[in-house]
Amino acid sequence: MIKPTEPITILRTEAVVKRVSYTARHLLNLEKKGQFPKRRQLGPRRVGWVEAEIDAWLASREVGPAEPPFPVAGT
């Protein structure tokens, strides 16, 4: 959780898309399913995400080489 004495950094949509390598639409779908941090309404036409929440979400993701989606010939 964020300590009240630490400054909170808000990331705009473009920064979050670049950081997590998902489209904005996919982020919205994950958010609706409760699988991604919720955005904050910053103004009538502006939203953002708390950087610490995005970093925690990224850290919770499994890290390692991806398995090929199909068997590789010769193995």
Side-chain angles (χ1 to χ4, degrees), residues 10-21 27 49 54:
I10 301 293
L11 300 175
R12 292 172 53 180
T13 303
E14 299 82 12
V16 176
V17 165
K18 185 175 181 180
R19 189 174 285 200
V20 302
S21 298
L27 294 177
W49 286 262
I54 299 301

Side-chain angles (χ1 to χ4, degrees), residues 3 8 10 13 15 47 57 72:
K3 295 179 184 176
I8 297 172
I10 301 293
T13 303
V47 296
W57 181 84
V72 177

Side-chain angles (χ1 to χ4, degrees), residues 8-74:
I8 297 172
T9 302
I10 301 293
L11 300 175
R12 292 172 53 180
T13 303
E14 299 82 12
V16 176
V17 165
K18 185 175 181 180
R19 189 174 285 200
V20 302
S21 298
Y22 287 154
T23 65
R25 182 71 216 169
H26 188 63
L27 294 177
L28 179 61
N29 290 337
L30 289 174
E31 187 180 335
K32 285 181 179 181
K33 294 177 187 176
Q35 298 173 354
F36 194 75
K38 291 195 179 283
R39 64 189 70 210
R40 304 301 201 280
Q41 190 72 41
L42 303 175
R45 297 181 62 192
R46 177 73 61 200
V47 296
W49 286 262
V50 176
E51 183 179 35
E53 294 175 2
I54 299 301
D55 290 342
W57 181 84
L58 284 169
S60 74
R61 309 297 290 173
E62 183 177 341
V63 178
E67 294 293 324
F70 48 85
V72 177

